[in-house]
Amino acid sequence: VTNIPILYSFRRCPYAIRARLAIRYAQIQVEIREVLLSDKPESMLAVSPKGTVPVLVLEDGTVLDESMDIISWALNINDPDKWQVTHDDSLVKKLLEQNDGPFKQQLDHYKYAERFPAKSRQAYREQGEVFLSQLENKLSLHSYLSGEHLGQVDIAIFPFIRQFAYVDKDWFDQLPYLNLQAWLTEIINSELFAYVMQKYDRWLKNSETQKF
Ligand SMILES: N[C@@H](CCC(=O)N[C@@H](CS)C(=O)NCC(=O)O)C(=O)O
């Protein structure tokens, strides 16, 4: 039992980034505990033995250890710009499933190609590019994946596209996906993103509370 929710997080983790984006947007104050994935705190593993971040522990002890559940929790508390509203629910669901499923795997294969010698880095990149082109199609019809305004599907997918883009930013920037590039740049340049990428000291059992 705590005063404010506790978020176990890792700065560069795309799942943790999307959770932090939603928590900050919803203006919910939490205690942030920056973890080292190679040396996770016992108090985190005690409440969520699967050992992935983000993990959110609510005041009543409820544990949310899936990033999309944390996003839903935050937006149900406060959703000033209607991030939960989308122009097409089934499309949004499909994009998210593709992102968290095959695209995430293609991203890892592309980024860490030396660990997956079955195919070349370029072959993995080509697989991932199919998803980029699908997003480009959507973004040529609407400014955002959610429709005419930023929404939860945009922030849920964004951290993964950012990672994919930065494996080789020159290559990404020369792709014929102008809408996708503009969408990515806009979110990267937002105050919201800058806020959630602030650095925090690693949390250890006796650390001072750091508020997010
Ligand atoms: N489905 C989970 C996935 C979270 C996840 O896989 N996070 C990675 C870091 S980006 C992790 O904690 N991996 C465990 C590890 O590296 O030990 C969610 O959406 O929260």
Side-chain angles (χ1 to χ4, degrees):
V1 180
T2 58
N3 296 328
I4 58 169
I6 296 169
L7 180 70
Y8 291 94
S9 182
F10 177 63
R11 184 171 177 273
R12 287 184 293 113
C13 167
Y15 301 98
I17 292 173
R18 70 184 180 191
R20 296 198 303 273
L21 286 167
I23 290 170
R24 175 66 183 169
Y25 158 77
Q27 299 173 317
I28 301 168
Q29 194 160 61
V30 300
E31 175 184 342
I32 191 162
R33 295 184 175 177
E34 178 72 18
V35 311
L36 213 56
L37 292 179
S38 55
D39 187 10
K40 293 164 192 155
E42 274 166 36
S43 58
M44 177 184 127
L45 295 173
V47 295
S48 181
K50 73 181 169 126
T52 63
V53 290
V55 175
L56 185 71
V57 187
L58 301 183
E59 293 95 322
D60 67 359
T62 305
V63 176
L64 301 177
D65 61 9
E66 281 295 324
S67 55
M68 290 313 296
D69 293 339
I70 297 174
I71 292 174
S72 298
W73 168 82
L75 300 185
N76 283 330
I77 292 176
N78 188 24
D79 186 4
D81 299 331
K82 305 269 180 287
W83 276 15
Q84 277 176 317
V85 176
T86 65
H87 66 301
D88 183 345
D89 276 326
S90 70
L91 165 75
V92 161
K93 205 171 152 254
K94 238 175 54 197
L95 290 178
L96 257 178
E97 279 169 7
Q98 241 196 303
N99 181 79
D100 288 23
F103 182 70
K104 166 63 174 158
Q105 194 180 22
Q106 289 152 2
L107 165 63
D108 289 342
H109 285 175
Y110 170 38
K111 198 169 166 192
Y112 306 111
E114 62 286 349
R115 296 183 209 163
F116 305 100
K119 288 190 181 144
S120 67
R121 188 182 303 277
Q122 199 182 329
Y124 292 130
R125 180 166 84 183
E126 276 166 21
Q127 293 177 344
E129 193 187 332
V130 176
F131 188 54
L132 301 187
S133 72
Q134 285 169 3
L135 296 181
E136 172 65 18
N137 284 340
K138 307 301 168 205
L139 292 170
S140 66
L141 302 172
H142 303 274
S143 306
Y144 298 95
L145 300 173
S146 296
E148 295 318 316
H149 63 87
L150 190 76
Q152 67 172 318
V153 66
D154 295 278
I155 63 119
I157 290 178
F158 152 77
F160 299 85
I161 304 304
R162 173 177 165 270
Q163 267 195 357
F164 196 92
Y166 276 89
V167 175
D168 182 346
K169 192 63 172 30
D170 291 336
W171 172 81
F172 181 81
D173 286 342
Q174 57 78 51
L175 291 169
Y177 305 146
L178 300 185
N179 295 288
L180 181 67
Q181 287 149 348
W183 172 88
L184 180 69
T185 303
E186 182 184 322
I187 306 178
I188 287 177
N189 290 339
S190 67
E191 256 177 62
L192 179 65
F193 182 62
Y195 187 90
V196 309
M197 293 307 282
Q198 287 178 92
K199 291 187 176 152
Y200 293 91
D201 295 334
R202 179 185 174 197
W203 183 81
L204 293 165
K205 221 174 28 218
N206 295 316
S207 298
E208 298 259 312
T209 302
Q210 299 180 92
K211 290 206 172 142
F212 171 80

